[in-house]
């Protein structure tokens, strides 16, 4: 019995190892012998503990297809696709039936009257009035009527503005109105008509506007110009010794220059005024004022920093320092120097040969300042620079 139990145990292990039912049945028959008659069913024994799960057997063949499941609910409608291209135009349809006859047109105009058929017929009805004809041409102007009576005098208008003229002194406009002005072309005042006579106001000088852009520098150093308030304002820093700061331009075909300026110089050595220059040699001549000595001087120089040679020095000169007027004129082989108190009346102060001051002759002129001292920086304002 114990051997049989061992054989069955071996048989079960073989089944688990081989997973082959045919081999299992063969071994079972060899070990157990033929099957006997079925005995009485014994009572159910206790359920043994679950054995170890065997290895997964090979996949079986595919089973039959199951029946079709129920239809799912309808999905949501997809978005509309893009419009397809336009199809080919269809053939022209057949002609429709003829429309019904339109309404009868209005009656045409009456025809011309027929020839008399023997005896006049009764008068027909009066026709409608014809269109108005175009307007005929205007008739000629009739004779001028007699002059009517003079109307009443109107009220006096407001007083007009004063008239402004510019004439020479003594040639003021005739029949002026009160308040009229005359800017004298050859004087140093402005005249106003007071209702009885022309009365001068001044002094008021006639200037020729200087244009700073026409001038260039020689020996500028720290000098500067300003044209903000009109004219040309030249400012020179204080410096010891001779040092002419120069603004000059070409003489061209001119032969006379007139300079109107206001100096602001202090001390005994500063100078300011009119200048002539020979560009080829750098030689200079000056007509200048020196405030401290109460003098003006005409000098010539080899250069802006050389010592000058005096041609004319006037002591105790009493000019109008509010506005000085200097002039120079080229006349043949000479140079003529002038001073004035009003820019209209000139005094000739020196005539000198060109070759005394220059190698040949000047070809530039302008204005200058020579500081000549270290305390104050001198300045001048050029109000008028006239060439002719």
């Amino acid at each position: 019995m114990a051997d049989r139990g061992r054989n069955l145990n071996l048989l079960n292990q073989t089944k688990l190892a081989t997973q082959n039912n045919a081999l299992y049945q063969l071994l079972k028959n060899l070990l157990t012998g033929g099957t006997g008659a079925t005995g009485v069913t014994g009572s159910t024994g206790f359920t043994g503990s679950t054995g170890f799960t065997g290895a997964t057997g090979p996949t079986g063949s595919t089973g039959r297809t199951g029946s079709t499941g129920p239809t799912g609910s309808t999905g949501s409608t997809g978005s509309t696709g893009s419009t397809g291209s336009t199809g080919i135009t269809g053939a022209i349809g057949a002609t429709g039936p003829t429309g019904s006859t339109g309404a009868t047109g209005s009656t045409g105009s009456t025809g011309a009257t027929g020839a008399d058929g023997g005896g006049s017929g009764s008068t027909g009805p009066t026709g409608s009035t014809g269109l108005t004809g175009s307007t005929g041409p205007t008739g000629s102007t009739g004779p001028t009527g007699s002059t009517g009576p003079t109307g009443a005098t109107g009220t006096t208008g407001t007083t007009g503005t004063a008239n402004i003229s510019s004439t020479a002194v003594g040639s003021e406009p005739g029949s002026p109105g009160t308040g009229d002005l005359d800017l004298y072309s050859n004087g140093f005042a402005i005249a106003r008509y007071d209702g009885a006579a022309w009365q001068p106001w001044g002094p008021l000088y006639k200037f020729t506007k200087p244009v700073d852009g026409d001038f260039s520098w020689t020996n500028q150093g720290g000098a500067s110009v300003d044209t903000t308030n009109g004219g040309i304002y030249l400012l020179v820093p204080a410096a010891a010794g001779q040092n002419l700061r120069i603004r000059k331009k070409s003489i061209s075909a001119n032969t006379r220059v007139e300079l109107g300026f206001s100096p602001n110089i202090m001390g005994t050595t500063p100078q300011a005024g009119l200048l002539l220059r020979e560009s080829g040699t750098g030689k200079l001549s000056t007509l200048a004022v020196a405030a401290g000595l109460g003098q003006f001087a005409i000098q010539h120089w080899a250069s802006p920093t050389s010592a000058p040679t005096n041609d004319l020095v006037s002591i105790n000169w009493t000019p109008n320092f509010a506005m000085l007027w200097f002039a120079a004129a080229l006349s043949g082989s000479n140079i003529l120097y002038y001073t004035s108190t009003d820019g209209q009346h000139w005094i000739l102060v020196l005539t000198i040969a060109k070759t005394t001051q220059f190698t040949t002759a000047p070809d530039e002129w302008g204005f200058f300042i020579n500081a000549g001292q270290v305390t104050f920086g001198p300045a001048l304002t050029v109000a008028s620079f006239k060439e002719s």
Side-chain angles (χ1 to χ4, degrees):
M1 190 68 175
D3 291 337
R4 187 174 181 273
R6 285 192 297 270
N7 290 337
L8 288 174
N9 185 43
L10 177 62
L11 180 62
N12 287 331
Q13 292 176 0
T14 302
K15 181 178 179 181
L16 292 171
T18 63
Q19 298 294 312
N20 190 318
N21 289 331
L23 178 59
Y24 170 76
Q25 291 297 329
L26 177 61
L27 292 175
K28 180 179 180 182
N29 290 334
L30 290 177
L31 295 174
T32 63
T35 305
T38 304
V40 179
T41 303
S43 59
T44 304
F46 295 106
T47 303
S49 60
T50 304
F52 297 104
T53 302
T56 304
T59 304
S61 59
T62 304
R64 291 177 299 171
T65 302
S67 60
T68 303
T71 303
S73 60
T74 305
S76 58
T77 304
S79 58
T80 305
S82 57
T83 304
S85 58
T86 305
I88 300 171
T89 304
I92 298 172
T95 303
T98 302
S100 58
T101 303
T104 304
S106 58
T107 305
S109 58
T110 304
T113 303
D116 189 356
S120 299
S122 60
T123 304
T126 304
S128 58
T129 304
L131 300 175
T132 302
S134 58
T135 303
T138 302
S140 59
T141 303
T144 302
S146 58
T147 303
T150 302
T153 303
T155 58
T156 303
T158 58
T159 303
T161 57
N163 295 314
I164 300 176
S165 56
S166 179
T167 70
V169 176
S171 300
E172 298 83 357
S175 303
T178 301
D180 285 0
L181 303 177
D182 193 11
L183 305 177
Y184 288 138
S185 61
N186 65 340
F188 49 87
I190 181 173
R192 180 182 182 275
Y193 191 74
D194 64 3
W198 289 95
Q199 301 295 342
W201 294 57
L204 187 68
Y205 305 106
K206 183 179 184 297
F207 293 150
T208 299
K209 180 180 178 180
V211 180
D212 184 61
D214 292 345
F215 296 87
S216 60
W217 287 104
T218 292
N219 192 36
Q220 178 180 4
S224 62
V225 295
D226 180 24
T227 59
T228 303
N229 304 109
I232 303 174
Y233 178 76
L234 172 61
L235 176 64
V236 172
Q242 309 296 341
N243 226 324
L244 278 65
R245 309 301 184 182
I246 299 168
R247 295 289 282 167
K248 45 83 176 180
K249 61 174 295 188
S250 173
I251 292 177
S252 300
N254 298 302
T255 59
R256 182 181 174 93
V257 61
E258 298 173 5
L259 174 69
F261 69 103
S262 295
N264 186 7
I265 54 179
M266 292 170 280
T268 59
T269 54
Q271 297 173 291
L274 181 65
L275 172 140
L276 281 70
R277 182 173 184 268
E278 188 174 48
S279 62
T281 63
K283 292 181 178 181
L284 312 165
S285 75
T286 59
L287 172 52
V289 58
L293 297 179
Q295 68 179 19
F296 75 90
I298 299 175
Q299 300 169 304
H300 61 271
W301 316 62
S303 74
T305 58
S306 66
T309 298
N310 293 332
D311 298 306
L312 175 66
V313 176
S314 175
I315 306 296
N316 299 322
W317 180 51
T318 56
N320 172 17
F321 279 103
M323 179 61 62
L324 299 182
W325 295 89
F326 289 163
L330 307 180
S331 177
S333 60
N334 295 325
I335 303 175
L336 286 63
Y337 292 95
Y338 301 85
T339 66
S340 175
T341 59
D342 56 18
Q344 301 295 330
H345 303 91
W346 296 93
I347 297 175
L348 176 63
V349 294
L350 178 67
T351 299
I352 190 171
K354 294 177 181 177
T355 53
T356 299
Q357 297 178 319
F358 302 98
T359 299
T360 303
D363 57 352
E364 295 176 330
W365 51 31
F367 50 94
F368 80 100
I369 293 178
N370 181 21
Q373 49 88 33
V374 295
T375 306
F376 303 104
L380 66 78
T381 297
V382 176
S384 181
F385 195 88
K386 180 179 179 181
E387 299 172 285
S388 59

